[in-house]
Structures are given as structure tokens and as C-alpha cells.
Amino acid sequence: IEFDTDEITSTYDVYKIFITNLHVSDDNVQLYVQFSQGSSYVTSGYRFANGQALDNGATTGVGETSEAFIRITRDFLGNVTGETSNWECTLPHPLGTDNGKLIYYSAVSINHDPKVKKELGAGAYLGNQTALDAIKFYASAGTLASGTFAIYGLAKS
């Protein structure tokens, strides 16, 4: 799923992306993000940090400092009936040219156990300060089988 210059414009400085009732085609899948600059997706140099809390009280985290994508899931997504994932992502200043590009996110999901999990994290591309012209969400394997992706710009004051 991609949002490009048709949706990301200079009208807003901050965008919210909501992903609801996400289902994937394969089991044990991660949800990835990449940024596009100059009509080409950046494929290296991403950083991310993610954590999760499960309904049994367990907490875990993961991070990377040089990856081909931003991994926004801490735990795997699955394709079994009842497994679902719902996200709120914030994309601040995607057209700015004074800082690297950031995204931060949180989710509530149900996995195969079934356990309720709360995930949160942040990711960045700090290789340059070039404005973004698109953002892409995709699965590490298979496809994003169903779900709703919506983007909203937050009004400037």
C-alpha cells in the first residue's frame, strides 16, 4: 500500500495513517515501511526500535541500526482466523528538508495464541534530509490480504 504526492502535500506538516483490521496472506509475517525520495524507494540505512506488551504481562523489544526497511511489527502477524492488527502511525514533516525522516507508531493486535498485544515503536531514515514523495507499507512475505489504510493530514495552526 502506497501513499504518494497525491496524498502527501504541503498542505499539512504532519500526517496520521490508520491501518484497521489488517490481515496477511501468509503466516509469520512482519509489516515493513519504506520511504521514497526522488521517485525511488530507499533500500538501506533505516533504523527502528519496537517493543510490545502481551496480555500475560510479558514485554519484549527489538531494534536495528542499518536495515533495508523499517520493521513496524515487533511480533509476527498471522493468517489464521481471528488474528488481526490495527495501527496508528504518525509521519511528521515528510516534505521538510532540515531533518531525517521519521515515523512512529502504535498498534493493538491479536496473535495466534490468542494473545492481545500492544506494540509501539519508531523508525527513521537519517541518510539525508530530502523530502519524501511516497511511503509504502508491505508484508515481509506474501501480501497484505485485506484491511483499510487511511491517511489524514493534521491542520497547521
Side-chain angles (χ1 to χ4, degrees), residues 5-123:
T5 54
D6 289 336
E7 296 90 12
I8 301 171
T9 69
S10 60
T11 303
Y12 305 105
D13 285 335
V14 178
Y15 287 84
K16 286 284 194 178
I17 300 167
F18 292 95
I19 306 167
T20 53
N21 201 25
L22 179 63
H23 296 275
V24 292
S25 64
D26 292 10
D27 201 22
N28 297 322
V29 170
Q30 299 289 350
L31 183 58
Y32 294 161
V33 169
Q34 285 182 328
F35 298 143
S36 175
Q37 297 176 319
S39 300
S40 179
Y41 279 97
V42 176
T43 59
S44 64
Y46 291 101
R47 307 169 72 90
F48 62 83
N50 300 331
Q52 83 176 1
L54 297 172
D55 61 9
N56 66 3
T59 59
T60 59
V62 65
E64 292 290 337
T65 59
S66 182
E67 194 57 80
F69 46 77
I70 297 169
R71 183 175 122 192
I72 71 171
T73 43
R74 163 57 191 104
D75 198 4
F76 292 102
L77 302 176
N79 62 352
V80 176
T81 300
E83 292 183 84
T84 185
S85 187
N86 300 276
W87 295 84
E88 178 181 338
C89 306
T90 303
L91 185 63
H93 304 288
L95 301 182
T97 57
D98 58 339
N99 291 306
K101 301 304 164 217
L102 304 169
I103 187 170
Y104 53 99
Y105 36 86
S106 65
V108 61
S109 302
I110 300 171
N111 67 7
H112 63 280
D113 293 346
K115 285 190 172 75
V116 174
K117 57 184 175 175
K118 172 68 176 167
E119 298 189 65
L120 61 119

